[in-house]
Amino acid sequence: MGETQYLAFLVGILALSTLVGLNAESPYRYYDLEITYGTVSPLGVSQRAILVNGQLPGPTMDCETNDNIIVNVINKLDEPFLMTWNGMWQRRMSWQDGVLGTNCPIPPHSNWTYRMQAKDQIGTYSYYPSTSLHRTGGGFGGFNIHRRPVIPSPYPEPAQQFTLTVGDWYKTDFKLLRKNLDLGQAMPVPDGILINGHPKNTVFTSEAGKTYMFRVANVGTMLSVNVRIQGHMLKLVEVEGSHVLQEMYESLDVHPGQSMSFLVTLHGMVKDYHIVASARFTKKHLVGRAILHYTGSTTPPADPLPVGPTYQIHWSMKQARTLRWNLTANAARPNPQGSYHYGGIQITRTLILANSAGKINGKKRYAVNQVSYVNPDTPLKLADYYNIPDVFNLNTIKDVPTPGKRLEYGTSVVGLALHDFVEIVFQNKEKTLQSWHLDGHNFFVVAYGAKKWTPAMRKKYNLVDSVWRTTVQVYPNSWTVVLAAVDNKGMWNLRSEIWHRRYLGQELYFRVWNDEKSLLSEADIPPNALKCGKAAKY
């Protein structure tokens, strides 16, 4: 071995030992998630659902920041399956992302083990299926990352924490919904709203005078929901891993794929109160209910339900602008969140991403910048790793939409350099709300606006204390701008959280790359990686 090779070997060993040491000093948590079909009837109709460990929703997964998470997913369905971790950073590990661009699906009647680390994260998240239209059939649950005892909290410790998975639900079997979409039919409006798998009567027991934390994740597939508690104010404290200014709200909008935490102090009379999650921006009156039960109460919650917003888009956008980063609170590390001055970083690339609906060969499709995404047989990450040609290229999608261009099929991958600072403009010219999620990264939501974005809008950006999150809504006939430091190397999914739109092509991938191979910037391919498509022979 020559001197240069020997030095390279030592550097590699040092990097590996650093990573191993990092993992070794953090606890390990092990989970088994068994995915099966089961029969449920939350809306009064007996139907097939996707259960996790026999439950809908699945068990809430709890850990502390920096814990190592080992999740064995056992697929007992009759078709391939993947689970994705909504909001989990997957630092250095896009191999574990659980989407078809990075993972081969878990075959029926087999299992695959995810290995992740909740690196430098504290917050409220969720998990759910990423393949086919499985998410409309269930398979979801809460995922909470707690602080370590040595990390101070910007609010007093609550007496107890409750996890609420809220979202829309269909009476129709998910396979029939999928078949109808494949035939070109439109997706119907959901039939109801569930809170923890039920449309009503889930009970959260608490004591007068104490303060409780409610962790809420919208695991639905189409509808925004408004959450409120009869006779109580909500103090928002966290949004997708970021502490926010602790404002008081009568109710909060939670859009598809989003999650947040708020505190509620029980200052009312000893009786029961309605917890309500109602659909937004739809003609259907859909409401899910639960009960806040004061210990000792013998009085059921009184009607009517607390009134919430329905169509008011301006109301929701105004509320969204009040969400601000808490600059003095620490995150998962002792330094204040506001020590990262994102407003002073030079933008290196601007992407204007316009969602669009249309038809290809007479069938309904959705697209980004006129390209409707098609999953290749070989995951993008495997193709990239093994240098397999003709799976994707970086010229399929343009940085800005092309006026007058018709929709076309393609495998959209945007090439970005590691540590680029990207301005992403989500332009929505349609009459429905959109929701977008970026795997592997958080971004700063710096502006919302009506109609069409122009460069002049940059004067209105909040470059001081915008909330740092993973999922953002784009209002009808409006735009939203986020700033993202793409500092996580890998292949990362940017997708619509309106699930039938994603199923029919409204997604793309970011290839965040540099040519330096180092375990400090990206973990190597896991030894249990599934191989499929053109990568099956490797």
Side-chain angles (χ1 to χ4, degrees), residues 290-308:
I291 296 172
L292 177 63
H293 172 71
Y294 276 47
T295 300
S297 167
T298 57
T299 305
D303 289 335
L305 298 177
V307 176

Side-chain angles (χ1 to χ4, degrees), residues 333-387:
R333 291 169 288 184
N335 56 300
Q337 295 182 145
S339 62
Y340 181 72
H341 301 296
Y342 69 93
I345 302 175
Q346 182 70 36
I347 293 171
T348 58
R349 183 118 171 234
T350 295
L351 302 173
I352 302 176
L353 304 180
N355 60 281
S356 50
K359 290 186 176 181
I360 301 178
N361 299 328
K363 290 187 177 181
K364 187 79 170 181
R365 293 292 297 187
Y366 297 96
V368 185
N369 289 4
Q370 293 90 31
V371 181
S372 186
Y373 188 87
V374 178
N375 280 298
D377 293 335
T378 307
L380 307 175
K381 186 63 183 171
L382 285 174
D384 206 22
Y385 183 81
Y386 290 117
N387 295 313

Side-chain angles (χ1 to χ4, degrees), residues 293-528:
H293 172 71
Y294 276 47
T295 300
S297 167
T298 57
T299 305
D303 289 335
L305 298 177
V307 176
T310 53
Y311 295 100
Q312 299 89 337
I313 293 172
H314 179 71
W315 183 97
S316 185
M317 187 183 292
K318 185 177 179 180
Q319 181 182 88
R321 288 172 175 153
T322 67
L323 273 57
R324 300 296 182 92
W325 219 23
N326 187 339
L327 300 183
T328 61
N330 63 282
R333 291 169 288 184
N335 56 300
Q337 295 182 145
S339 62
Y340 181 72
H341 301 296
Y342 69 93
I345 302 175
Q346 182 70 36
I347 293 171
T348 58
R349 183 118 171 234
T350 295
L351 302 173
I352 302 176
L353 304 180
N355 60 281
S356 50
K359 290 186 176 181
I360 301 178
N361 299 328
K363 290 187 177 181
K364 187 79 170 181
R365 293 292 297 187
Y366 297 96
V368 185
N369 289 4
Q370 293 90 31
V371 181
S372 186
Y373 188 87
V374 178
N375 280 298
D377 293 335
T378 307
L380 307 175
K381 186 63 183 171
L382 285 174
D384 206 22
Y385 183 81
Y386 290 117
N387 295 313
I388 301 173
D390 302 323
V391 175
F392 72 92
N393 67 68
L394 302 179
N395 298 314
T396 300
I397 188 170
K398 305 301 181 185
D399 286 9
V400 298
T402 304
K405 182 181 176 182
R406 301 180 66 179
L407 267 61
E408 62 183 16
Y409 290 118
T411 301
S412 303
V413 180
V414 174
L416 297 169
L418 184 64
H419 303 307
D420 271 352
F421 194 66
V422 185
E423 176 187 42
I424 306 174
V425 180
F426 294 106
Q427 182 70 64
N428 182 11
K429 296 182 179 180
E430 299 178 20
K431 295 180 180 180
T432 58
L433 180 138
Q434 302 300 313
S435 183
W436 291 92
H437 172 81
L438 176 58
D439 280 352
H441 295 82
N442 282 33
F443 43 61
F444 292 96
V445 185
V446 295
Y448 301 92
K451 299 182 180 178
K452 185 177 180 180
W453 178 88
T454 67
M457 305 300 181
R458 290 179 176 133
K459 297 178 181 178
K460 299 181 179 181
Y461 288 3
N462 176 0
L463 298 179
V464 178
D465 60 355
S466 291
V467 68
W468 193 53
R469 64 188 312 173
T470 64
T471 309
V472 68
Q473 71 276 17
V474 190
Y475 293 97
N477 296 309
S478 299
W479 53 266
T480 299
V481 177
V482 304
L483 300 178
V486 288
D487 58 354
N488 197 7
K489 188 175 176 179
M491 190 75 70
W492 301 105
N493 190 215
L494 175 64
R495 61 175 174 264
S496 172
E497 286 292 317
I498 313 298
W499 215 243
H500 68 281
R501 298 181 73 104
R502 191 237 181 187
Y503 177 73
L504 293 178
Q506 202 158 354
E507 64 175 318
L508 54 91
Y509 282 82
F510 283 173
R511 179 184 185 261
V512 182
W513 184 253
N514 68 0
D515 56 8
E516 177 187 349
K517 187 172 177 58
S518 169
L519 292 175
L520 294 176
S521 58
E522 185 177 30
D524 207 349
I525 184 171
N528 68 334

